Amino acid sequence: DGGITQSPKYLFRKEGQNVTLSCEQNLNHDAMYWYRQDPGQGLRLIYYSQIVNDFQKGDIAEGYSVSREKKESFPLTVTSAQKNPTAFYLCASSILSTSTEAFFGQGTRLTVV
Amino acid sequence: GIQVEQSPPDLILQEGANSTLRCNFSDSVNNLQWFHQNPWGQLINLFYIPSGTKQNGRLSATTVATERYSLLYISSSQTTDSGVYFCAVERGGSGNTGKLIFGQGTTLQVKP
């Protein structure tokens, strides 16, 4: 099935630890995005990548890092520098060349314990 | 930056009723999408509608770009329509990056 797969669905982390969230797409989309959602809020952009080996900061990049070594994959690392990492994280992709319509994965719920 | 405001913030309907959700934005846009967030958190694409009118079953949407608003119509609502509806825009002149700015959402509850 074509789509965007995020793993894991639920993740628990101790304070001070880095953790990496996985996002894979088999839609052959050029661009990929990471958004964060806090309870009762809309989504905010963390990082995005329009092409392999290139990425840009979004509105709330502090405390996060990404890589884009393959077109299909855009992992997000939540570092210990992120002051309030407990949130719902959503990955998206879009083809860009013909449309900027975004499609989303199922999300990863991260809890710091 | 561009502001996206959705109204109403909360809506309670009886099954079978119709409703209109509104999205206002403060600047020109390249892209406007409506999403339904289900109880498990997944965002379901409803419409990609930077301008004009589209219909999909009981749902339809209209975007009037020159007046900077979009409307989502839900007719004959069902309990499965419950959830949060988000409007998201890509600011015009941003070079088609696909970066979306989200509104705060409208939480819809449909009662049987």
Side-chain angles (χ1 to χ4, degrees), chain B residues 1-7 21-34 47-52 61-72 86-93 99-104:
Chain B
I2 190 170
Q3 304 297 315
V4 181
E5 295 181 357
Q6 292 186 242
S7 60
L21 282 59
R22 187 176 180 103
C23 174
N24 291 334
F25 43 95
S26 60
D27 206 344
S28 62
V29 298
N30 287 337
N31 171 17
L32 187 145
Q33 291 186 247
W34 282 99
F47 294 101
Y48 172 74
I49 187 166
S51 63
T62 295
T63 297
V64 184
T66 53
E67 297 188 20
R68 298 180 182 167
Y69 73 88
S70 183
L71 302 173
L72 177 69
F86 285 106
C87 167
V89 305
E90 178 190 4
R91 185 174 59 83
K99 298 189 298 180
L100 292 175
I101 296 122
F102 280 76
Q104 296 294 296

Side-chain angles (χ1 to χ4, degrees), chain A residues 31 33 35 37 40-43 45 48 50 59 88 90 94 96 99-106 109, chain B residues 30-31 33 35 37 40-43 45 47-48 86 90 95-105:
Chain A
Y33 313 83
Y35 291 87
Q37 185 180 26
Q41 303 294 316
L43 281 67
L45 182 66
Y48 67 103
Q50 295 175 261
D59 299 318
F88 188 49
L90 289 136
S94 64
L96 272 197
S99 169
T100 58
E101 183 175 8
F103 297 87
F104 283 80
Q106 315 95 306
R109 202 166 297 276
Chain B
N30 287 337
N31 171 17
Q33 291 186 247
F35 298 93
Q37 187 166 41
W40 298 271
Q42 185 159 12
L43 284 176
N45 287 39
F47 294 101
Y48 172 74
F86 285 106
E90 178 190 4
N96 285 352
T97 60
K99 298 189 298 180
L100 292 175
I101 296 122
F102 280 76
Q104 296 294 296

Side-chain angles (χ1 to χ4, degrees), chain A residues 4 6 32 36 38 40 86 90 100 102:
Chain A
I4 303 165
Q6 291 187 240
M32 297 186 73
R36 169 184 170 136
D38 292 290
T86 295
L90 289 136
T100 58

Side-chain angles (χ1 to χ4, degrees), chain A residues 49-76:
Chain A
S49 168
Q50 295 175 261
I51 195 169
V52 174
N53 292 324
D54 189 42
F55 49 83
Q56 284 79 39
K57 292 181 180 180
D59 299 318
I60 55 165
E62 185 176 351
Y64 299 98
S65 65
V66 294
S67 63
R68 186 90 186 276
E69 297 177 1
K70 298 186 300 182
K71 189 175 185 178
E72 308 80 39
S73 179
F74 192 40
L76 173 75

